Amino acid sequence: MIFKPFKRLLAAGFLFSSLAMSEIASAQSKATWIWYPGDFEIWLGNNMQNRRTERASFFPPFWKLDSHYPLIDFHKDFDLPAAEEVDLFVEGQYNVKIDGKAISGFPKHIRIPAGKHKLSLKVFNQASVPAIYVKGNKVVSDDSWLVTFEDKEWIDETGKVSDKSGTTWLNAGSWNFNTPQSTPSRFKLATKPQSAVSVQRNGKSLLLDFGKETFGYIKLHGLTGKGNANIYYGESKEEALATETCETLDHLELNQGAKKDSVMDLTKAFRYVNVQYDGTVSLDSVSMLYEYLPVADRGGFRCSDDEINKIYDVAKYTFHLNTREFFIDGIKRDRWIWSGDAYQSYLMNYYLLFDSPTVTRTLLANRGKDPVTSHINTIMDYTFYWFIGINDYYQYTGDKSFIKQFYPRMQSLMEYCLSRRNKNGMMEGLAGDWVFIDWAEGLSKKGEVSFEQILLARSLETMATSAEIAGDTEGKAKYGQLAVELKSKIFKNYWNDQKKALVHSMVDGKQTENVTRYANMFSIFFNYFNEDQKQAVKQSVLLNDKIQKITTPYMRFYELEALCALGEQAYVTKEMKDYWGGMLKLGATSFWEEYNPDKKGAEHYAMYGRPFGKSLCHAWGASPLYLLGKYYLGVQPTSPGYNTYVVEPNLGGLKWIEGKVPTPKGEISVYASTSQIKVKGDEGTGTLRFKSKSKPSVKGGRISAKGNGTYELTVEKGKDYTVSYSSI
């Protein structure tokens, strides 16, 4: 379809721009829609985040939203052995040039002669992202095309069009819009019809139970009459029945003679739906269209404990519900792209879906564009999670192209952060900054908080790695040195020998007395502590009930990770059964934003001063996916993209565990019991590391002893290994 000038474009869609930084490549046979890199993600993020409502009122984000560039220049050089007939499809108003010479009108079809030629299209589109689909034999649109938003074309003294110096050309963004009809602006998430598991009809009302937490459009069947129809949504039955205080609702004013089916305009999260109507209104039934991102599970986990298996399954379902156009925080309330929530989703994703496009799509939507005027989501720590998320993305995927393409945006954001350090070179909340850390009663955000410095140090390390990938030698040295200096300051200023921990903050140049878990647990799995410090912190902080407890799954994620990193999986198994199992015992079908076992009944649904303010399906509640994959199956990359990796199974008190962890080009399968370990890797070179009371044996491999009952086996690509051992 050709989009004529100023024709209204359809909005609502998704898909990710898969990016490359390679030099102009040879033409491919497969055409795809292309656009300016990052613009589709920003445009889509704006659309999605502005769908939020609270009690039918529009509730937009409170941070700055950037927009796509409305005018984009696309071009590519071709060397054709023969003339080609080429079809053009464009979203927007456009012109076409061959070797700088414009073709009149809005051609849908062009002929390019044999030989070397430059094909250029300039596209204007204010409503959605300027995009093109070019299809010939060798002349096809793909991510090897170059794009710019800067119009620096001039006519030189010879009358020819030339590019003035300073124009920035990037490789185009794309993904898999691979037909002319699958335009980027038209894409929508998939839907499928579902029915309620029970319906209670009482006069002019229906109460529907869909059996579990779900997400989608409510559909009213056979709707007719004059009057009002009101729909009240509830993650709990109590919320659906609380017509004055439920978080989301729909209101319809009707004057309809013939029966008609009606689908609500916006998706909602719910388990229960309360439909009430008056006047002469009647309806036959109510169903839903379940909306979802069609992405398949590639990882999995099973063990000897049925409750842990149930926790894993519910975590998986929770994660799928919150994996949408982007990784969002929760499906009922915010439905925004919070960087801190998304960071945890990235990690869970690597052990369940390995869906790289949703990671980069979310990173790009969160970052936006220059100039930087505030922290991501206005939250200091959420800016640092954005950097750390890129570090992890590289480690798990090995994708350098993303970093090369967007390194300038990393630089400008980091320079913003560095410009906001205080006179001591530390991060401290300034006007407009939200120092979040966690939802915790009485948690001080005053002064130089140690947790923020820890995150900045890791972000600087990410910048040093990224600078090297991007070929910025000076940047690598600068950021690396800043990271070293900051880590030295952290231990000088915050470590307290008596408390055997990092204190929470510095105020007016002095350590505060307070010790919290945050900086201490991050320093464990960031490997900022030496072994003695790790063991000291385990006792003085992590296993110390006098230290303020964590009640959100958000920070519970990191607390349990730190314990797993210290080999305390048996303790974590019990905590998992108490915490996530506690939610299951209360009837949870997805995991919550917060769980406090001391609360009773409907108290569990309250948050933010509202009786049903809490999200009962929150992405950060799905952290067992990550913990069980990384620290029980024990699989993690030791070099980017699983070129090398380690498998270090830990039963955590279970009789047996088994599962698979996805990698860029395959999977790693693991089984472990008290007497046997099986492992197979589809790519890279792995190291199986385990402890045994007696000398282990294996066929087809060589086990080496490392001392203290520890053994290692090299896992070669594609080979199955079965180790007989005696677990310690």
Side-chain angles (χ1 to χ4, degrees):
M1 168 177 271
I2 299 295
F3 280 69
K4 296 297 186 182
F6 306 110
K7 184 177 180 180
R8 183 179 180 83
L9 298 176
L10 294 171
F14 119 76
L15 276 182
F16 160 69
S17 47
S18 169
L19 306 162
M21 280 296 294
S22 58
E23 298 296 327
I24 297 177
S26 59
Q28 300 172 5
S29 60
K30 187 175 182 181
T32 190
W33 284 91
I34 59 174
W35 51 79
Y36 187 84
D39 268 15
F40 182 80
E41 293 78 4
I42 291 169
W43 173 82
L44 179 62
N46 291 346
N47 285 337
M48 190 204 73
Q49 294 185 100
N50 283 287
R51 293 188 205 132
R52 177 181 176 181
T53 62
E54 288 192 0
R55 295 196 61 78
S57 295
F58 172 49
F59 199 120
F62 52 78
W63 50 81
K64 182 189 78 167
L65 296 179
D66 293 319
S67 188
H68 65 277
Y69 294 119
L71 181 61
I72 298 298
D73 195 326
F74 301 81
H75 82 237
K76 184 174 178 180
D77 294 321
F78 294 92
D79 189 355
L80 303 179
E84 283 199 20
E85 305 294 325
V86 179
D87 294 322
L88 305 177
F89 303 85
V90 183
E91 289 212 288
Q93 184 179 5
Y94 65 99
N95 67 27
V96 182
K97 295 177 182 178
I98 298 176
D99 301 327
K101 185 177 180 180
I103 300 174
S104 63
F106 299 94
K108 301 178 183 180
H109 184 84
I110 61 173
R111 178 180 174 83
I112 303 178
K116 294 181 179 181
H117 301 284
K118 175 181 286 188
L119 176 60
S120 305
L121 287 86
K122 185 170 286 187
V123 183
F124 171 78
N125 190 338
Q126 189 71 51
S128 63
V129 177
I132 66 171
Y133 181 98
V134 178
K135 177 61 176 174
N137 181 23
K138 292 185 177 295
V139 179
V140 296
S141 50
D142 55 33
D143 60 15
S144 67
W145 280 60
L146 297 178
V147 298
T148 186
F149 64 89
E150 299 174 292
D151 184 5
K152 296 184 179 177
E153 280 190 352
W154 296 86
I155 303 297
D156 64 20
E157 61 275 9
T158 68
K160 294 182 179 179
V161 175
S162 62
D163 288 331
K164 290 291 185 180
S165 62
T167 298
T168 302
W169 294 94
L170 298 177
N171 287 87
S174 69
W175 190 39
N176 64 354
F177 294 105
N178 295 332
T179 68
Q181 295 75 29
S182 59
T183 57
S185 68
R186 289 183 166 187
F187 189 88
K188 292 184 178 180
L189 295 175
T191 59
K192 59 183 177 183
Q194 290 186 351
S195 300
V197 298
S198 70
V199 181
Q200 297 177 25
R201 188 182 287 267
N202 183 14
K204 292 204 167 187
S205 70
L206 292 87
L207 180 64
L208 299 101
D209 178 6
F210 284 85
K212 60 182 179 180
E213 180 88 12
T214 189
F215 187 86
Y217 302 90
I218 282 296
K219 185 174 184 178
L220 306 178
H221 299 266
L223 187 64
T224 187
K226 183 176 182 179
N228 300 296
N230 297 305
I231 305 173
Y232 305 98
Y233 300 89
E235 292 186 302
S236 63
K237 185 176 182 180
E238 291 90 338
E239 183 179 12
L241 294 173
T243 58
E244 297 298 319
T245 55
C246 65
E247 292 284 307
T248 55
L249 56 85
D250 278 315
H251 173 70
L252 288 74
E253 295 180 2
L254 301 168
N255 187 3
Q256 196 164 293
K259 285 188 176 184
K260 183 181 178 181
D261 293 348
S262 181
V263 178
M264 298 304 100
D265 290 334
L266 293 176
T267 49
K268 299 289 194 306
F270 53 87
R271 172 177 173 174
Y272 297 89
V273 177
N274 177 10
V275 183
Q276 299 185 1
Y277 45 99
D278 59 24
T280 62
V281 173
S282 67
L283 60 87
D284 294 337
S285 62
V286 179
S287 69
M288 72 171 291
L289 293 174
Y290 174 68
E291 187 187 62
Y292 63 100
L293 177 69
V295 57
D297 294 341
R298 292 184 54 208
F301 180 86
R302 276 293 176 268
C303 69
S304 56
D305 188 297
D306 289 340
E307 186 177 31
I308 294 293
N309 291 336
K310 178 66 173 177
I311 288 169
Y312 183 86
D313 289 342
V314 174
K316 184 168 64 172
Y317 182 61
T318 302
F319 188 66
H320 272 284
L321 286 172
N322 288 287
T323 301
R324 317 205 62 76
E325 296 95 333
F326 305 91
F327 289 124
I328 62 172
D329 67 325
I331 58 174
K332 176 176 77 171
R333 196 188 56 241
D334 290 18
R335 295 166 62 179
W336 292 342
I337 312 170
W338 291 97
S339 181
D341 304 58
Y343 174 67
Q344 295 192 354
S345 290
Y346 305 152
L347 295 174
M348 299 174 213
N349 166 70
Y350 298 133
Y351 286 89
L352 180 65
L353 307 175
F354 211 92
D355 177 25
S356 297
T358 306
V359 175
T360 50
R361 192 163 62 240
T362 305
L363 286 166
L364 291 172
N366 260 147
R367 172 57 184 88
K369 293 185 175 180
D370 292 328
V372 181
T373 59
S374 66
H375 284 295
I376 292 176
N377 309 129
T378 75
I379 301 176
M380 183 189 294
D381 20 319
Y382 279 26
T383 294
F384 300 141
Y385 285 129
W386 185 84
F387 286 107
I388 301 168
I390 291 177
N391 176 74
D392 291 341
Y393 173 73
Y394 175 55
Q395 291 303 316
Y396 280 96
T397 68
D399 179 12
K400 294 182 178 181
S401 63
F402 180 85
I403 291 173
K404 289 180 180 179
Q405 186 91 304
F406 293 102
Y407 178 69
R409 295 193 198 184
M410 298 177 67
Q411 279 185 301
S412 54
L413 182 58
M414 178 53 74
E415 292 308 311
Y416 172 82
C417 295
L418 296 177
S419 73
R420 294 175 74 80
R421 292 174 297 173
N422 64 18
K423 63 181 180 181
N424 301 319
M426 310 289 265
M427 297 300 297
E428 185 173 2
L430 301 179
D433 294 346
W434 179 2
V435 180
F436 173 57
I437 306 173
D438 190 20
W439 294 122
E441 188 175 345
L443 184 63
S444 172
K445 316 293 175 67
K446 184 180 178 182
E448 302 164 353
V449 179
S450 57
F451 178 66
E452 301 295 340
Q453 319 313 318
I454 292 288
L455 293 184
L456 174 58
R458 193 61 156 188
S459 298
L460 287 166
E461 291 173 339
T462 298
M463 286 301 301
T465 299
S466 300
E468 182 176 18
I469 292 170
D472 179 9
T473 305
E474 184 177 326
K476 177 187 175 184
K478 171 187 172 181
Y479 297 123
Q481 184 61 31
L482 286 171
V484 170
E485 291 172 357
L486 179 57
K487 287 165 70 175
S488 177
K489 283 183 181 179
I490 289 170
F491 284 93
K492 179 181 177 181
N493 292 347
Y494 297 100
W495 181 260
N496 187 301
D497 276 327
Q498 272 115 16
K499 298 178 184 293
K500 299 296 182 187
L502 296 170
V503 299
H504 179 70
S505 60
M506 295 275 292
V507 177
D508 297 327
K510 296 180 181 178
Q511 284 189 3
T512 58
E513 290 295 317
N514 192 25
V515 172
T516 55
R517 298 173 187 265
Y518 308 106
N520 288 289
M521 58 199 191
F522 273 67
S523 293
I524 289 171
F525 51 75
F526 282 176
N527 276 319
Y528 286 178
F529 287 144
N530 60 39
E531 286 304 312
D532 289 341
Q533 288 171 325
K534 286 181 181 180
Q535 295 305 316
V537 166
K538 179 169 73 172
Q539 298 302 324
S540 63
V541 179
L542 297 183
L543 302 179
N544 185 355
D545 288 339
K546 294 179 181 178
I547 303 297
Q548 184 176 5
K549 291 185 177 181
I550 290 171
T551 60
T552 61
Y554 176 52
M555 277 294 160
R556 196 71 166 163
F557 179 107
Y558 300 117
E559 182 180 31
L560 296 183
E561 176 169 18
L563 286 163
C564 284
L566 293 172
E568 294 292 332
Q569 277 83 339
Y571 178 89
V572 171
T573 300
K574 181 181 182 302
E575 292 293 296
M576 227 184 279
K577 289 166 69 70
D578 288 345
Y579 195 81
W580 281 268
M583 285 186 261
L584 293 181
K585 289 180 176 64
L586 292 174
T589 60
S590 58
F591 289 129
W592 305 346
E593 181 176 15
E594 180 261 359
Y595 168 62
N596 185 340
D598 296 332
K599 293 181 179 180
K600 305 295 181 184
E603 291 178 356
H604 284 289
Y605 309 140
M607 205 167 179
Y608 310 112
R610 307 198 300 271
F612 303 103
K614 184 184 298 180
S615 165
L616 300 190
C617 180
H618 223 68
W620 68 36
S623 57
L625 298 174
Y626 173 66
L627 298 173
L628 292 168
K630 183 175 181 179
Y631 292 105
Y632 284 67
L633 296 178
V635 178
Q636 58 180 304
T638 53
S639 61
Y642 282 92
N643 185 51
T644 60
Y645 60 91
V646 66
V647 179
E648 198 166 0
N650 191 312
L651 292 170
L654 302 167
K655 294 179 181 177
W656 58 266
I657 58 174
E658 66 177 354
K660 57 184 179 179
V661 172
T663 68
K665 298 178 182 177
E667 62 189 41
I668 298 166
S669 301
V670 180
Y671 168 86
S673 68
T674 57
S675 60
Q676 191 178 73
I677 299 172
K678 297 179 182 179
V679 63
K680 180 183 179 182
D682 289 339
E683 64 174 312
T685 301
T687 298
L688 173 63
R689 185 177 299 130
F690 60 97
K691 290 189 175 183
S692 180
K693 294 177 184 176
S694 57
K695 185 178 179 180
S697 63
V698 64
K699 288 184 178 180
R702 182 175 176 273
I703 296 174
S704 59
K706 298 299 179 181
N708 298 318
T710 299
Y711 297 87
E712 290 186 356
L713 168 70
T714 297
V715 179
E716 297 179 10
K717 175 182 175 180
K719 292 184 65 175
D720 288 286
Y721 298 89
T722 300
V723 175
S724 298
Y725 83 120
S726 178
S727 68
I728 295 177

